Amino acid sequence: MEISHPFAAQAAARKNEDMRLEVLTMMKLIEERAMQLAHADRPKIEGRYTKIELNNYKNMFNKYSIPGPPRAVEIANMKPLLRKCCDLMRDSKTKKWLNSRNINRVVSIFDVDASGKIEWAEFLEINWELRQKKITDIVTDFFGDNVFGFSNRF
């Protein structure tokens, strides 16, 4: 039986306890590996910022995040967090662009471990693209829409 998606694997595994345990174990290993990869890139990502900037962004991140290993921001809290970042950068155009639809798109692109939450390194990547004024272009290129949400595809 070929299984192409973890949720499909979970559904198939409900019928077989051994398979269910195997799928859960595999999903845990994938999650742990994703965390290892995120931590491996963390010094490079953090190196883009000054210590003062990192401290300020860490305080903001912690304000909107849920505790736990790893600390992460849920999608519902991404909008106020990213809008706060735009305020710091005095970027009202991007702040206005950050509606719920575009926040979901940003999360789907930058949530590399597919947890549905944004961890610290993922947040720094998003924030870096905000600072470079590239976030709208990244989303547009990925989804094939212009920044106003009109599709370029027919």
Side-chain angles (χ1 to χ4, degrees):
M1 171 189 330
E2 183 178 323
I3 298 174
S4 60
H5 193 275
F7 296 120
Q10 285 178 322
R14 285 189 194 115
K15 297 175 183 164
N16 181 323
E17 183 63 22
D18 290 336
M19 185 180 204
R20 186 181 76 76
L21 293 174
E22 193 173 317
V23 167
L24 290 174
T25 301
M26 186 61 70
M27 289 175 70
K28 185 173 174 88
L29 288 172
I30 291 169
E31 182 180 319
E32 288 173 0
R33 182 63 181 139
M35 286 176 60
Q36 289 171 351
L37 291 173
H39 288 298
D41 287 343
R42 192 170 166 177
K44 181 181 93 176
I45 295 166
E46 288 181 349
R48 298 174 181 163
Y49 298 89
T50 67
K51 288 185 181 204
I52 293 170
E53 289 172 329
L54 275 176
N55 188 42
N56 288 338
Y57 288 124
K58 188 67 166 180
N59 288 336
M60 283 175 38
F61 180 83
N62 288 341
K63 179 180 176 185
Y64 291 97
S65 66
I66 53 173
R71 202 168 174 101
V73 178
E74 295 179 328
I75 294 173
N77 291 329
M78 284 302 296
K79 187 174 183 178
L81 174 58
L82 294 181
R83 285 180 164 219
K84 183 76 172 166
C85 292
C86 287
D87 285 343
L88 288 175
M89 294 176 234
R90 294 179 171 81
D91 186 354
S92 60
K93 183 177 178 183
T94 303
K95 181 179 178 179
K96 185 176 179 181
W97 176 83
L98 286 168
N99 59 33
S100 296
R101 177 179 177 227
N102 289 328
I103 292 288
N104 286 333
R105 289 175 163 199
V106 167
V107 170
S108 70
I109 294 169
F110 288 92
D111 183 16
V112 294
D113 62 354
S115 65
K117 299 174 186 143
I118 296 296
E119 287 85 19
W120 173 241
E122 294 167 337
F123 166 70
L124 287 179
E125 285 288 348
I126 294 168
N127 191 57
W128 182 254
E129 299 304 340
L130 279 172
R131 289 174 58 160
Q132 303 304 308
K133 310 277 192 226
K134 294 180 181 177
I135 197 78
T136 57
D137 292 337
I138 290 169
V139 172
T140 300
D141 291 346
F142 191 85
F143 287 97
D145 294 349
N146 66 32
V147 294
F148 301 107
F150 300 109
S151 178
N152 294 330
R153 291 181 273 180
F154 297 106

